[in-house]
Amino acid sequence: MPASLPTPAAPAQDARRGVLAIPAFRKLWNSMLFSSLGDWLGLLATTALAQQLSGGSYATANFAIAGVFIARLLPAVFLGPIAGVIADRFDRRRLMVSVDLMRAGLYISIPIVHTYFWLYTAMILVECLTLFWSPAKEASVPNLVPRDKLENANQVSLLAAYGTAPIAAILFSLLTLLSGAIAAISPLLPSNSVDIALYINALSFLFAAWTIRGLKEIPKGSASKSNKDENVGQSLIQGWKAVSESKIIRGLIIGMVGAFSAAGAVIGLARTFVGDLGGGDAAYGVLFGSVFTGLAIGIAFGPKVFAQFSRRRLFGAALTTSGVFLVLLALISNLVLSVFIVAILGAFSGIAWVTGFTMLGMEVTDDVRGRTFAFVQSLIRITLVAVLAIAPIIAATIGEHRYEFQTIVLNYNGAQITILIAGLIAVLIGSVSYHQMKDRPTVSLWSDILAALQGELGAITGAQAKGIFIAFEGGEGTGKSTQSQLLAKWLEQEGETVVLSREPGGTDLGKDLRKILLGHETGIISPRAEALLYAADRAHHVFSVIRPGLDRGDVVITDRYFDSSAAYQGAGRVLNPSEVARISRWATESLYPTLTILIDVPAEIGLGRLQSRDRLEAEPTEFHERVRQEFLQIAMMDPERYFVVDGTQTVEEIQTQIIARVAELPALKRNADEPKKKRFRK
Ligand SMILES: Nc1ncnc2c1ncn2[C@@H]1O[C@H](COP(=O)(O)OP(=O)(O)O)[C@@H](O)[C@H]1O
Ligand SMILES: Cc1cn([C@H]2C[C@H](O)[C@@H](COP(=O)(O)OP(=O)(O)O)O2)c(=O)[nH]c1=O
């Protein structure tokens, strides 16, 4: 064994608890919690106010509500990047405190002035102020939290930002129900729930100002330089360059934009939709709350429930499902049912959202990750603005309709019909991205779902590695050793650093295991013990040879990898191949090869090429034929990652075909400066 083992970073498990234990960060977090709660309440109140001000006109109400959302999003699109740069010039603590005080003032003024003009002006001003507040906060967090806890700080910040939405919705509904009682306590108190919500919002900002004032831990003076000075246009162009060449990433982004358009349509139309069904502000609050509750449930539990499911499939499927529920929402004119439908819809969108972001993080290489995320975020903002502007216009144009079929009367209004259209679009986009990213075309979705529920499948997307990982698979005497050596030679000529290894026996420990596994003197090993011994060899091989090689950016070639276990111990020894595969996934932490080359030869021919036979080679021909069929089936399930070559050809013919396939791998040095379009062709 090598004297020192490489130490890949251990998964951080208990860090989340840690970050809130830091008193200064906890204070900041508390203030964020209150101001987001206030902010959501303010959003609900302002949209409700826009509807109140419309004086009952359907079209005006739709436009007015759209106006609120657009007013909130536009400043970010145009001012975002500049605000970050300006914010960096001021003392952060003072900036945050002043901004919070001003936001509180603006929110108090909205119900007092009580006009459309001031509602929008105030919203835009609040948003502009927030654009200065956020970068100042972002820049302060690293002062309060050690580096290794930053990611957790982000997680809990997100929790504060979005987790408060359902609470705000519940609060808003309660306020609507209790507003009469509140007014009865004293004539001095406001009687309108919208006004009360806005005052509470103002209070939450005052509280935040007070908390931050006491945060002496934030160093005085301006923040160090920020790298966010790209404007939206630039980040869009740069980001598109980075992502446009990969089919999977394209599918992902199309899907995420689709998800947000559908969500935008629901959010923008929710108030009028509720009104159409005879509900008021309280019902609006409940509906809004159930979307976010669903979202939170989807985000928190989706990945756990579907842990074994291919993420790529899950993403498209979840998106399509939310589209279907959107269609249902539009068709069923019942307020109570809507609340449930919207919660399920939210849950599936939440699943699509987390899997989308997780995959984006995995599929995109380190150097362009920041740019890609900036790109996706800009794209999402712009889509939201567009959808929030367009959806109500469509709804207003469609107007109110009443259909009578003999005794049945159906009322379908603009909001419902627009939601129906949004649902159909979501279904369409969901299935497009499902097909763009399908990773097992021959396996039906249902069998995939069933298998996932039984815990038999692995998520196809393991952690991203830097180098290229190629595995050779096939039966006995198929020419794996011959071809892997030839390929290694060719790659070295191409300027790659190559690590050529094999299983079993790619490590010192593995050599001993190989002796046990293949020596005739071992005698019979129980099939499960045999599977575990191969897995042990593999785990150590990945840990000490393959991973380190990939981390260095090398090309790692292995003669046999985990499909050998599924084929030999599974199909050959008649264990369940997917159970055996599960052990391998655990052993390798789901490290999948970039490309697996399967050399296929009828068992008899391969065995005929051997000089002498080891323990496994001595098995009867039927055993080896089962092994061969299993290999072929595995390869068929994922044609993008498997290359099957006919091993009965000459050594040279096989080599030519293998090289042609490997030469396409985008990460090869020789492809680095080639026109990018060709690189991701199937
Ligand atoms: N395409 C081929 N046609 C005929 N014989 C081959 C071919 N490829 C390899 N061989 C021979 O078959 C035997 C087994 O090849 P090897 O590369 O060791 O296979 P594996 O590693 O799959 O067991 C060797 O004697 C090799 O020379
Ligand atoms: C990697 C692996 C190999 N094996 C078997 C297949 C082979 O018979 C043997 C390894 O032999 P191998 O090194 O491939 O020898 P050869 O070069 O002669 O083909 O171990 C398994 O049964 N399960 C596994 O997971």
Side-chain angles (χ1 to χ4, degrees):
M1 267 212 247
S4 72
L5 288 173
T7 45
Q13 269 162 349
D14 52 355
R16 192 168 326 179
R17 208 187 62 222
V19 74
L20 281 179
I22 301 168
F25 180 76
R26 203 186 160 81
K27 272 190 220 155
L28 181 67
W29 188 76
N30 275 339
S31 84
M32 290 189 311
L33 203 65
F34 274 95
S35 43
S36 337
L37 182 73
D39 221 18
W40 286 113
L41 210 53
L43 180 73
L44 285 160
T46 44
T47 45
L49 180 63
Q51 209 246 1
Q52 283 179 11
L53 288 172
S54 74
S57 151
Y58 193 71
T60 317
N62 270 309
F63 288 130
I65 292 169
V68 173
F69 286 109
I70 295 170
R72 293 196 63 139
L73 282 166
L74 271 186
V77 174
F78 292 107
L79 247 175
I82 312 165
V85 179
I86 299 175
D88 285 348
R89 308 242 154 96
F90 289 91
D91 180 90
R92 277 164 282 165
R93 194 157 57 95
R94 239 188 256 160
L95 180 75
M96 283 194 276
V97 172
S98 340
V99 163
D100 276 337
L101 290 176
M102 287 191 266
R103 290 198 285 194
L106 282 167
Y107 271 111
I108 292 177
S109 73
I110 294 174
I112 295 176
V113 180
H114 204 75
T115 64
Y116 268 138
F117 174 76
W118 185 246
L119 171 64
Y120 295 136
T121 315
M123 284 324 317
I124 291 178
L125 289 175
V126 164
E127 273 313 304
C128 292
L129 286 169
T130 307
L131 289 176
F132 292 94
W133 188 88
S134 305
K137 186 216 74 181
E138 296 299 339
S140 307
V141 172
N143 295 126
L144 308 181
V145 169
R147 254 191 91 81
D148 60 330
K149 295 218 164 107
L150 273 183
E151 196 184 338
N152 284 137
N154 284 338
Q155 277 177 342
V156 292
S157 304
L158 271 180
L159 189 72
Y162 294 98
T164 42
I167 305 173
I170 294 169
L171 208 60
F172 184 69
S173 298
L174 284 178
L175 278 179
T176 312
L177 297 175
L178 298 179
S179 54
I182 295 174
I185 298 173
S186 152
L188 286 177
L189 290 173
S191 63
N192 187 324
S193 59
V194 168
D195 295 359
I196 305 174
L198 289 169
Y199 293 135
I200 295 183
N201 189 4
L203 273 181
S204 78
F205 282 120
L206 289 178
F207 172 77
W210 178 70
T211 317
I212 293 170
R213 212 184 71 91
L215 269 182
K216 300 280 192 279
E217 288 86 348
I218 300 175
K220 274 201 183 334
S222 57
S224 53
K225 81 173 210 45
S226 134
N227 50 8
K228 282 188 182 164
D229 41 11
E230 254 181 13
N231 70 32
V232 174
Q234 270 172 347
S235 97
L236 279 179
I237 296 168
Q238 296 265 345
W240 183 246
K241 274 198 202 132
V243 304
S244 59
E245 54 202 49
S246 157
K247 198 173 158 196
I248 292 163
I249 298 174
R250 270 200 320 262
L252 256 180
I253 290 180
I254 293 172
M256 291 174 77
V257 168
F260 275 91
S261 326
V266 176
I267 294 172
L269 295 170
R271 184 60 191 88
T272 35
F273 176 79
V274 167
D276 288 345
L277 297 185
D281 282 345
Y284 174 49
V286 171
L287 201 71
F288 199 89
S290 72
V291 177
F292 277 93
T293 311
L295 263 177
I297 290 175
I299 292 173
F301 299 108
K304 282 197 196 86
V305 174
F306 291 98
Q308 303 286 328
F309 202 78
S310 151
R311 276 205 198 85
R312 297 186 189 173
R313 286 197 140 188
L314 181 58
F315 177 74
L319 195 55
T320 313
T321 314
S322 8
V324 170
F325 277 94
L326 210 51
V327 170
L328 274 182
L329 177 70
L331 293 179
I332 297 176
S333 305
N334 179 307
L335 207 49
V336 178
L337 284 180
S338 298
V339 172
F340 289 101
I341 294 177
V342 153
I344 300 173
L345 189 161
F348 279 97
S349 324
I351 293 174
W353 195 81
V354 264
T355 37
F357 265 99
T358 314
M359 272 201 293
L360 209 55
M362 283 178 158
E363 302 275 343
V364 178
T365 48
D366 257 344
D367 46 334
V368 290
R369 191 166 296 146
R371 234 178 301 161
T372 312
F373 276 103
F375 168 72
V376 174
Q377 258 145 13
S378 304
L379 198 65
I380 285 172
R381 268 198 191 141
I382 289 178
T383 322
L384 273 178
V385 175
V387 170
L388 289 173
I390 294 168
I393 296 177
I394 299 175
T397 315
I398 296 171
E400 294 167 284
H401 291 278
R402 188 184 165 86
Y403 301 97
E404 286 181 34
F405 305 102
Q406 288 153 5
T407 55
I408 304 166
V409 181
L410 288 176
N411 280 317
Y412 280 117
N413 290 347
Q416 272 172 297
I417 296 174
T418 315
I419 288 177
L420 179 73
I421 299 172
L424 293 176
I425 294 177
V427 170
L428 191 79
I429 291 185
S431 40
V432 168
S433 74
Y434 180 85
H435 287 290
Q436 286 248 338
M437 297 193 287
K438 62 180 176 214
D439 49 10
R440 281 190 274 260
T442 51
V443 182
S444 83
L445 178 62
W446 281 116
S447 62
D448 218 1
I449 292 175
L450 275 182
L453 291 178
Q454 291 162 359
E456 295 303 353
L457 280 170
I460 212 82
T461 34
Q464 181 86 24
K466 231 168 61 194
I468 300 176
F469 182 22
I470 299 174
F472 276 85
E473 296 281 11
E476 312 297 336
T478 49
K480 297 178 302 300
S481 315
T482 312
Q483 293 297 341
S484 53
Q485 282 161 19
L486 289 171
L487 179 65
K489 237 180 248 154
W490 179 79
L491 283 166
E492 271 165 358
Q493 282 165 13
E494 290 289 321
E496 304 287 341
T497 312
V498 181
V499 178
L500 178 59
S501 187
R502 69 162 174 183
E503 287 185 13
T507 58
D508 288 343
L509 170 70
K511 288 197 181 89
D512 293 338
L513 289 172
R514 184 179 172 93
K515 263 184 225 138
I516 299 172
L517 281 163
L518 303 182
H520 287 287
E521 60 281 5
T522 305
I524 293 171
I525 312 179
S526 89
R528 282 166 199 271
E530 188 179 273
L532 289 169
L533 285 171
Y534 278 112
D537 168 68
R538 183 160 305 127
H540 195 61
H541 191 213
V542 166
F543 180 78
S544 50
V545 176
I546 301 177
R547 266 276 174 216
L550 294 176
D551 289 343
R552 286 192 302 268
D554 297 351
V555 180
V556 180
I557 302 178
T558 176
D559 181 348
R560 293 194 187 277
Y561 192 52
F562 53 34
D563 295 329
S564 279
S565 282
Y568 281 84
Q569 279 63 52
R573 296 279 186 229
V574 210
L575 294 173
N576 180 342
S578 44
E579 270 178 28
V580 175
R582 193 142 53 119
I583 297 169
S584 280
R585 279 197 301 275
W586 183 77
T588 61
E589 296 184 74
S590 290
L591 177 68
Y592 283 76
T594 321
L595 175 70
T596 299
I597 297 165
L598 172 61
I599 310 182
D600 179 52
V601 171
E604 259 174 69
I605 300 181
L607 290 170
R609 287 180 186 165
L610 301 178
Q611 315 284 320
S612 63
R613 297 190 176 195
D614 61 35
R615 236 186 93 253
L616 277 137
E617 288 162 351
E619 290 290 332
T621 312
E622 301 84 78
F623 174 95
H624 292 285
E625 200 47 45
R626 281 204 301 278
V627 168
R628 177 188 179 208
Q629 293 310 325
E630 181 64 24
F631 273 131
L632 286 173
Q633 270 186 27
I634 295 174
M636 214 170 63
M637 292 210 288
D638 195 357
E640 281 175 54
R641 248 180 1 89
Y642 284 82
F643 180 61
V644 184
V645 56
D646 175 3
T648 59
Q649 310 173 85
T650 66
V651 172
E652 293 72 31
E653 281 168 338
I654 300 173
Q655 192 203 0
T656 313
Q657 287 163 21
I658 291 178
I659 287 176
R661 177 63 184 86
V662 171
E664 280 180 14
L665 291 176
L668 281 184
K669 292 198 174 75
R670 72 198 297 272
N671 291 336
D673 349 289
E674 270 200 8
K676 311 217 156 152
K677 248 181 252 141
K678 270 172 57 194
R679 296 181 9 192
F680 282 88
R681 220 183 23 196
K682 239 178 87 181

